[in-house]
């Protein structure tokens, strides 16, 4: 930041890039030539057949050269000149002369802070003020100063408070949304008639006591919002099916929703019997689907994965069509990737009765003990049980992934008592480690002759940009794919653009997603996963996000032939290998055996939720492969300490100063009065928004 500003003071023009800046007028080929590490990494990646961006990033650390020679400035300049032609040296000299008057951008603190706020609160309800400052400075590089940006940030009407000696902030919008969610549920208590007869005989008379109580809870409830907390593996899907059938008998419509396409179609439609189940996103856009819930029930599965904005939107629709809301989920499992934990908020603040289903059915014996411990946050005892079972394997780097690959391939070749192949899943917290495990599995498959006719296809990986980032042209790379998910002026839904020298349509940022092109090696026999929805080449079949297929061949034009005799167009691109998934994506899945890969690098992305979800996916076995058993235990025991806006806005209790604070006060004030020094320190009350009318009610 200060370097960019100083260069401008010296007469250079600077050009802001995504993460840094360049001096204007410098040719790209020269800049690339002086980025020798990037060139070296690409060379090694090509030699090793590595195409994954995360693995290339790791190569950066693995191939970092030590600075062996301490060269003088004159020697360095000689070395640098040797890389340039005479014409290139003249070009650089012309840039250095600064003969053209630089055009300095006008102060941009306001727009930089706007960007920081809009971007940062998309995924978190409460963020450190330091993060806001960092985002603003990065966005305004070359057009802002540190002092003026700090002053601009302080002027914003954010709600601020200190948490564990960190300055944290949230927005009035987030506080208002959380308040409305809680008010909608609280004010709806006891306002409705029972949905049915709680004494209705169960179709599934084998239900355990917890499942029976949950059905009675829903049918007899008089509340607008109803909640069922079902820990992993307790038969929530079958429970939802029973409730759906009971409500259908009363003539009440039920609209079943889940956050992911896979959960809505494979779980709610195929297993729970809700033929029209769909995603929350689809429901919030489809007026006809919303109308179908009129005077009925909106059932939300895996409700922990809804963020605050989506939960508020669901409640708003429920209010408009006079529907009740049934939330089924487990707050100890993964939360939403967007801001807020409304399920936790409702449990703690709405005063709603919650039906608890805690008897685990998925696992048996000692494995069941592991799942029980994890469902209650007891990570230490869970790991003790895993140790006794021999299911935590600490293996050196050069052998770990090959052992995991062998275990996985052996598992999928086992048969159950009915002669069917058993199912298995590999879970890893990070995409980088998932890529390493995939390489090991595919290497074994190649060695066994199970992969044939390998070729490279172009795939597209989500850049995960927020709308604020998509409005910034520096966030794009040449070759990025822009795909519209909504109609927009000049574009229809599904339209694709490849980023070139033409400026991207940043003014339509909320209508499209951005993907990075990435080569992917595929062979006949490979398992692949769909990473974004679409259709088969003939348009007859839906390709659902998360669906798995096996490559059975390639057409003459390079299209993929997969099982079910479906053809996937070679330009479709939303594909990945289907052997390994992240913990977040695995939520809701059930397999015979699960294998979990967590090395020291992945431990940074590991916490209680990760361990709980990953380890409980299996019915028979869960084996963890790691390079450090003790550090893994520490990581898995780490709790998620995310705050809600309501928590941050609450007045802090009065605290008595410590002796050290008393001494500091005495030094500052000249020790005027000992008694006054021991008076409680009352932190300033956080800014609170004027309460808005509750539109959700």
């Amino acid at each position: 930041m200060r370097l960019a500003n100083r260069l401008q003071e010296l007469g250079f023009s600077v050009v802001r890039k995504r993460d840094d800046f360049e001096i204007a007028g410098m040719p790209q080929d020269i800049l690339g030539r002086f980025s020798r590490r990037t060139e070296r990494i690409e060379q090694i990646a090509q030699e090793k057949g590595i195409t994954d961006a995360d693995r290339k990033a790791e190569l950066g650390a693995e191939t970092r050269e030590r600075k062996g020679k301490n060269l003088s400035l004159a020697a360095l300049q000689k070395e640098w000149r040797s890389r340039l032609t005479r014409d290139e040296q003249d070009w650089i000299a012309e840039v250095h002369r600064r003969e053209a008057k630089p055009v300095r951008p006008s102060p941009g603190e306001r727009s930089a802070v706007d960007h920081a706020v809009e971007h940062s609160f998309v995924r978190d309800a409460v963020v450190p003020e330091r993060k806001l400052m960092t985002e603003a400075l990065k966005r305004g590089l070359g057009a802002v100063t540190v002092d003026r940006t700090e002053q601009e940030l302080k002027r914003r009407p954010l709600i601020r408070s200190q948490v564990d000696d960190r300055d944290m902030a949230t927005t009035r919008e987030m506080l208002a949304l959380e308040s409305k969610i809680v008010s909608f549920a609280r004010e709806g208590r006891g306002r409705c008639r029972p949905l049915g007869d709680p004494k209705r005989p169960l179709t599934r008379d084998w239900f355990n006591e917890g499942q029976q109580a949950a059905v009675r809870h829903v049918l007899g409830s008089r509340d607008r919002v109803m909640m069922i907390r079902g820990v992993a593996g307790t038969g929530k899907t079958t429970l939802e099916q029973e409730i759906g059938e009971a409500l259908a008998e009363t003539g009440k419509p039920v609209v079943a929703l889940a956050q992911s396409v896979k959960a809505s179609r494979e779980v709610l439609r195929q297993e729970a019997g809700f033929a029209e189940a769909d995603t929350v996103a689809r429901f919030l856009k489809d007026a006809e689907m919303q109308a179908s819930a009129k005077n009925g029930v909106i059932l939300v599965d895996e409700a922990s994965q809804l963020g605050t904005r989506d939960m508020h939107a669901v409640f708003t629709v429920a209010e408009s069509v006079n529907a009740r809301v049934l939330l089924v989920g487990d707050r100890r499992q993964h939360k939403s990737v967007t801001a807020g934990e409304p399920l936790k908020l409702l449990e703690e603040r709405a005063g709603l009765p919650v039906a608890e289903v805690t008897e685990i059915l998925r696992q048996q014996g000692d494995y069941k003990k592991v799942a029980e411990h994890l469902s209650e946050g007891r990570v230490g005892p869970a790991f003790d049980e895993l140790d006794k079972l021999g299911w935590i394997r600490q293996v050196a780097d050069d052998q770990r992934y090959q052992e995991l690959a062998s275990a996985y391939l052996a598992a999928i070749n086992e048969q159950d008592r009915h002669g069917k192949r058993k199912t298995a899943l590999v879970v890893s917290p990070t995409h980088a480690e998932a890529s390493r495990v995939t390489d090991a599995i595919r290497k074994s498959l190649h060695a066994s002759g199970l992969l044939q006719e390998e070729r490279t296809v172009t795939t597209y990986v989500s850049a995960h940009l927020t709308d604020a980032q998509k409005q910034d042209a520096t966030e794009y790379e040449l070759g990025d794919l822009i795909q519209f998910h909504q109609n927009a002026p000049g574009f229809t839904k599904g339209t694709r653009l490849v980023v070139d020298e033409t400026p991207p349509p940043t003014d339509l940022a909320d209508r499209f997603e951005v993907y990075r092109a990435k080569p992917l090696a595929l062979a006949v026999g490979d398992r692949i996963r769909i990473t974004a929805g679409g259709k088969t080449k003939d348009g007859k079949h839906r390709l659902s996000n998360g669906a798995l297929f096996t490559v059975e061949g390639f057409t003459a034009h390079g299209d993929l032939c997969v099982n079910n005799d479906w053809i996937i167009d070679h330009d479709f691109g939303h594909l990945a290998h289907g052997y390994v998934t992240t913990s977040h994506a695995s939520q809701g899945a059930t397999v015979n055996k699960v294998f979990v890969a967590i090395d020291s690098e992945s431990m940074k992305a590991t916490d209680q939720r990760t361990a709980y979800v990953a380890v409980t996916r299996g019915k028979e076995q869960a084996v963890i492969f790691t390079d450090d058993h003790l550090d893994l235990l520490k990581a898995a025991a780490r709790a998620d300490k995310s705050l809600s806006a309501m928590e941050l806005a609450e007045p802090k209790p009065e605290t008595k100063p410590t002796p050290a604070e008393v001494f500091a006060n005495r030094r500052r004030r000249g020790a005027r009065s000992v008694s006054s020094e021991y008076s409680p320190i009352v932190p300033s009350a956080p800014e609170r928004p004027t309460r808005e009318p509750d539109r959700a009610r």
Side-chain angles (χ1 to χ4, degrees), residues 455-461 479-481 496 498 515-522 531 554 558 560 568-576:
R455 62 184 66 191
T456 300
V457 301
T458 298
T459 62
Y460 297 105
V461 180
D480 280 354
L481 176 74
R496 290 181 169 192
V498 176
Y515 301 90
R516 301 260 140 89
K518 169 188 169 184
L520 184 72
L522 283 183
T531 57
F554 300 93
L560 279 68
I568 300 176
D569 195 287
H570 68 282
D571 286 332
F572 175 67
H574 297 299
L575 306 169

Side-chain angles (χ1 to χ4, degrees), residues 393 401-416 420-426 440-441 444-445 448 450 579 592-595 620-621 623 625:
R393 300 180 186 173
Y401 298 127
Q402 199 53 53
E403 286 191 20
L404 192 160
S406 298
Y408 166 76
L409 294 173
I412 61 175
N413 283 314
E414 292 180 23
Q415 293 184 343
D416 62 18
K420 292 184 178 180
R421 287 278 184 93
K422 288 188 176 182
T423 56
L425 181 69
V426 182
I441 291 172
S444 295
L445 291 172
S448 302
L450 298 176
Y579 304 106
N592 294 105
K593 297 184 178 184
V594 62
F595 302 95
E620 301 174 12
Q621 188 181 39
V623 184
F625 289 81

Side-chain angles (χ1 to χ4, degrees), residues 222-283:
R222 293 179 176 271
D223 298 331
R224 191 66 178 271
V225 178
M226 301 157 286
M227 300 177 67
I228 297 175
R229 185 204 173 214
V231 304
T234 53
K236 292 190 293 293
T237 302
T238 310
L239 173 61
E240 290 168 334
Q241 188 173 18
E242 179 78 28
I243 291 171
E245 292 169 358
L247 294 175
E249 291 170 7
T250 68
K252 290 183 173 60
V254 180
V255 175
L257 309 173
Q259 191 72 346
S260 72
V261 174
K262 187 177 177 68
S264 65
R265 287 180 169 80
E266 294 186 14
V267 178
L268 290 177
R269 287 189 186 183
Q270 298 176 18
E271 297 179 28
F274 297 100
E276 303 300 322
D278 219 311
T279 63
V280 173
R282 165 75 187 281
F283 175 74

Side-chain angles (χ1 to χ4, degrees), residues 14-82:
V14 300
V15 179
R16 183 175 65 86
K17 297 297 182 180
R18 185 169 62 201
D19 297 314
D20 49 29
F21 69 93
E22 295 173 358
I23 294 177
M26 294 293 291
Q28 287 299 316
D29 60 334
I30 294 179
L31 293 174
R33 199 176 314 155
F34 279 79
S35 180
R36 300 181 72 181
R37 278 181 39 72
T38 301
E39 184 180 348
R40 175 64 175 154
I41 291 167
E42 290 294 338
Q43 180 184 349
I44 295 175
Q46 186 174 7
E47 292 171 356
K48 293 186 174 184
I50 295 173
T51 58
D52 182 74
D54 293 318
R55 285 289 293 121
K56 288 182 181 180
E58 290 182 345
L59 284 178
E62 295 169 7
T63 62
R64 192 177 299 278
E65 298 176 1
R66 294 185 179 180
K67 295 180 180 179
K69 296 183 290 184
N70 294 318
L71 299 178
S72 66
L73 178 58
L76 282 171
Q77 289 175 334
K78 183 178 180 181
E79 163 66 17
W80 294 334
R81 289 193 189 97
S82 70

Side-chain angles (χ1 to χ4, degrees), residues 482-666:
I482 292 174
Q483 184 165 328
F484 283 82
H485 54 74
Q486 289 182 7
N487 292 332
F491 303 97
T492 57
K493 180 180 177 180
T495 298
R496 290 181 169 192
L497 301 175
V498 176
V499 175
D500 52 21
E501 299 299 337
T502 306
T506 54
D507 57 324
L508 303 174
D510 62 335
R511 305 295 182 91
F512 62 76
E513 294 300 331
V514 182
Y515 301 90
R516 301 260 140 89
K518 169 188 169 184
L520 184 72
L522 283 183
V524 174
D526 256 325
R527 195 74 167 149
I528 59 172
R529 183 176 67 254
I530 305 300
T531 57
K535 290 188 175 182
T536 53
K537 187 166 186 175
D538 58 13
K540 295 180 179 179
H541 308 287
R542 180 188 293 273
L543 298 171
S544 298
N545 187 6
L548 293 170
F549 295 95
T550 299
V551 178
E552 295 184 345
F554 300 93
T555 69
H557 296 289
D559 300 326
L560 279 68
C561 306
V562 298
N563 46 302
N564 302 329
D565 294 325
W566 292 6
I567 305 294
I568 300 176
D569 195 287
H570 68 282
D571 286 332
F572 175 67
H574 297 299
L575 306 169
H577 289 126
Y579 304 106
V580 189
T581 187
T582 62
S583 175
H584 198 284
S586 74
Q587 186 164 318
T590 301
V591 293
N592 294 105
K593 297 184 178 184
V594 62
F595 302 95
V596 186
I598 307 179
D599 69 4
S600 296
E601 286 300 312
S602 292
M603 289 176 198
K604 299 170 186 175
T606 302
D607 57 16
Q608 284 187 15
R609 297 179 197 265
T610 309
Y612 175 31
V613 173
V615 171
T616 57
R617 296 308 92 199
K619 292 189 289 187
E620 301 174 12
Q621 188 181 39
V623 184
I624 301 175
F625 289 81
T626 185
D627 57 352
D628 195 315
H629 182 300
L630 293 179
D631 280 352
L632 173 60
L633 174 58
K634 293 176 185 176
R638 189 166 52 234
D640 184 344
K641 297 182 179 180
S642 57
L643 289 173
S644 68
M646 295 182 77
E647 288 174 310
L648 189 74
E650 287 177 333
K652 301 297 182 289
E654 295 184 354
T655 57
K656 186 176 181 179
T658 65
E661 289 172 328
V662 171
F663 179 74
N665 288 339
R666 181 180 300 157

Side-chain angles (χ1 to χ4, degrees), residues 176-177 179-185 187 312 319 691-697:
L177 289 174
S179 299
K180 289 177 183 178
I181 287 170
V182 172
S183 294
F184 178 83
E187 293 170 12
H312 175 261
E319 175 75 9
R691 188 175 179 87
E692 300 178 17
D694 191 353
R695 297 189 181 90
R697 287 291 299 157

